[in-house]
Amino acid sequence: MIKAVFAGSFDPPTFGHLNIIERARKLFDEIHVVIAVNNNKKYLFSVEERVNFMKNLTSHWENVIVNTWDSLIVDYARKNEASV
């Protein structure tokens, strides 16, 4: 199984983000959309809002997983055995 990580603040999610997710989901078994959380950064939307936006926008794609992460993205990738 090939897992890929697509990380960003997604503040807010855009059609460009969705286009990348849509194309990547056809190439990989799982796409992990990782919403970065940085308490030192000021966001337009809260973490909960960004997660809800992205989950609603990607809910029709079965192989897209939405998570948050507040550390190095490479650590997320290792923890979830993502190679891309």
Side-chain angles (χ1 to χ4, degrees), residues 3-19:
K3 298 178 187 178
V5 173
F6 180 37
S9 62
F10 304 105
D11 187 38
T14 66
F15 287 119
H17 295 134
L18 294 176
N19 182 267

Side-chain angles (χ1 to χ4, degrees), residues 1-7 30 32 34 67-69 71-84:
M1 174 179 284
I2 300 174
K3 298 178 187 178
V5 173
F6 180 37
E30 282 184 7
H32 289 247
V34 182
N67 283 312
T68 61
W69 194 254
S71 188
L72 296 174
I73 297 301
V74 69
D75 292 337
Y76 178 93
R78 283 185 186 132
K79 180 181 177 187
N80 291 279
E81 300 177 346
S83 59
V84 178

Side-chain angles (χ1 to χ4, degrees), residues 2 8 16 23 26-27 31 43 49 59 65 68-70 73:
I2 300 174
R23 292 188 298 159
K26 296 174 185 174
L27 299 172
I31 302 297
Y43 295 103
E49 289 173 315
S59 64
I65 299 163
T68 61
W69 194 254
D70 64 356
I73 297 301

